[in-house]
Structures are given as C-alpha cells and as structure tokens.
Amino acid sequence: MLLDTLNRPLRNLRLSVTDRCNLRCEYCMPEDEYVWLPREDMLHFEEISALVDVFIGLGVDKVRLTGGEPLLRRDLPTLVRLLAAKEGLQDLALTTNGILLSDQIDALKTAGLGRITVSIDTLHVDRFVKLSRVDELGAVREGIDSARRVFGGMKLDTVVIRGVNDDELVDLIEYAKSMHAEIRFIEYMDVGGATHWSPGRVVSREEMLAALTRHYGAIEPIVENSSAPAERFALPDGTTFGIIASTTEPFCRSCDRSRLTADGMWYLCLYATHGIDLRAPLRRRATADELKDLLTGGWQRRADRGAERRLQLGDRRAFVPIKALRKDPHLEMHTRGG
Ligand code: SAM
Ligand code: SF4
Ligand code: SF4
C-alpha cells in the first residue's frame, strides 16, 4: 500500500471540475473580482479519466466531484458515466451548492453517481442573500428536494459562523430530517479564500454540542472506525448529525485525501502552497507508468498537517492575503474544491 511519511494511505480524491461559481459565499469567495484559471488549461474528461485510472492503481477508491460549482461544468453526467464505470472505485460522490441540481438530478443518477452532498448554510432568504450575494435559496431547496426524491437522501453541509447562522443549528437539523438527509456542521476554516476569517467568528464543536444539548438533551457520540472528517453524533430520538471540527480539532493524522484542480494541479493538503503539475506530463503524453511514478513520489514525500500547524500558531488570521490569492488562484478554496 502506498503510504506517506506519516503512514497515511492515498484513498480519497477530491476532483474539482471548475473554479467558476454561481454563488459568492462570504467564507469562500468574498471578493468582488477573481482571477480564473485559463479555459485552455481545463482538463478534458478523457484526461481526468486517465488520471483517475492512475490514482485508482495507487489505492484511491473514493472520488468526490467538486468545484467551484461542479454543476456549472458542461455535460458533467458524461464525466460521471466515465468514472462510474471504473471497477476500483467504491464511492463516487458530488458536492454542490444545489442551485442547478433539480435540472440535472435525473441525468446524474442515470450516469451512475452514488451520493450527493448539498451545501446549505441558512433557511432564511435574507441571510442567504447576505451570505452568498445571490437570491437562490429557493433553487437550493428545490435541488435538495429533488435529491431526496431521486437519491432517497443526501448529506447537507453547513459552515457555522458566529453571528451569521449559529442560531439555526436546531432548525437545520429538523430541516435535514425532513429531507432524509444527515447534516454536518463545519467549523469555519481559515483556508485560502476565507479572507474575512477571524478566530472570533469560529463556532467550535464544543459550542455547537452545548447548544444542541440545551435543546435536545443528552447527545451520544457514535463510535466508528473511519478516516472521514466528520464526527457523528446521535440525538435522543436517534437522529444523527456530524461535526467537522477542522479548525479546533484537526484530523490531519488520518487524512487520506488529496485534491486535483480543474487544470490538473495536484495538492496534498488543503493548506499546501505548492502543488504537483499533472497537466503538463499528461499533455506531453507521459505514459501511465510515468504518471504513476510522479504520484507515488509525491505521496511518499507527503508530510502535510496543515490544519494542525495552523492550530499551533498563536496569533492567527486569514491564511493567505488577498494579494497572494490574486497572484495564484490555485491557493483559493474555490479552486481546490474544499
Ligand atoms: N460549490 C460547492 C459547494 O459549495 O458545495 C462545492 C465546492 S465548496 C468549495 C466545498 C465545500 O467547502 C462547501 O461545503 C463549503 O461550505 C466548504 N467551504 C468553503 N469555504 C469554507 C471555509 N472557509 N470553511 C469551511 N468550509 C468551507
Ligand atoms: Fe460557495 Fe461552493 Fe461557490 Fe465556494 S464554491 S462560493 S462554497 S458555492
Ligand atoms: Fe488533510 Fe491538510 Fe486538511 Fe490536515 S489540513 S486534514 S492534512 S487536507
């Protein structure tokens, strides 16, 4: 098995299919203008498929399509069909903001998509508009409804920010329940893109659990042997939910995920400032073995523990200043797929 310097296997690949987005979430894309990846650099579906074959050969068995907003990528179901046909892949999932989901849900299901996660941070239209600059909560909810109908359920992701939506945890759990969804509350992270981040805006896992316990009564942790970032909990009535405590309790020790940007840069950590260019060798017609060697060497050298290192810092503020983000859009959260 291919292991990095901390004995972590390579199992999870987050595949960004576009850096464009139809929302401007303030924790991810708060600026007025962005530098986009050049269109000619975007990997074609056949190129993505060839790379995924190499990743599968090295142990990857989970792929998640992400972005930017992945449903903005034209003909996404065609890529889903290519990937769903791969034998070594156990899990093919999609993370989306949901706006375009109801239009594409049938095609995605038919193409073989396994699971869907929809991001939703609030149930209030005014807050949604303030948070994302677009009046599309209705479309997101339609998308969630369509995922309930066609997939039978889904996961929901909510970034919790103090003073923005931290009073909605109970309402969101109840909403998730009604949609046959399991919700995961994510601590606000100081990733590239989060230029408005400050420690005071982070609502910790402990605070979330305390608020939910006040409302529901005793909450039980669910013990499971998994490398997934979410810790899961059960309410007294059996309803389950997750918390991703990436800021206050990072899980770098068991992190088996890497990220491929839409233009073929491979990043071994959400906080990595340097990636490995896979597009250039791919377009020089490198053989599968040459690509395999490149990936193997990269993973074997991996020592990243970005979130743990951030936690060790005393005076903590936004990770990447805006000037640096403009110089290299690969540092942006919306480019590396979250
Ligand atoms: N556009 C899609 C969406 O929003 O689901 C997929 C890409 S988005 C970058 C992937 C995930 O990253 C979303 O669930 C989003 O909430 C999360 N995310 C973005 N910025 C974040 C931040 N600063 N802290 C924590 N999570 C963040
Ligand atoms: Fe929001 Fe996702 Fe778009 Fe980022 S990529 S702005 S999280 S919808
Ligand atoms: Fe993995 Fe890096 Fe996130 Fe830690 S910070 S969990 S190493 S991606």
Side-chain angles (χ1 to χ4, degrees), residues 62 76 163 222 236 251 260 287 291 316:
K62 295 177 184 206
L76 191 70
I222 299 174
F251 34 84
L260 186 66
T287 63
L291 290 168
R316 193 166 164 185

Side-chain angles (χ1 to χ4, degrees), residues 243-258:
I243 297 185
I244 304 185
S246 3
T247 301
T248 65
E249 294 277 346
F251 34 84
C252 302
R253 271 280 157 197
S254 60
C255 176
D256 58 6
R257 57 183 54 195
S258 69

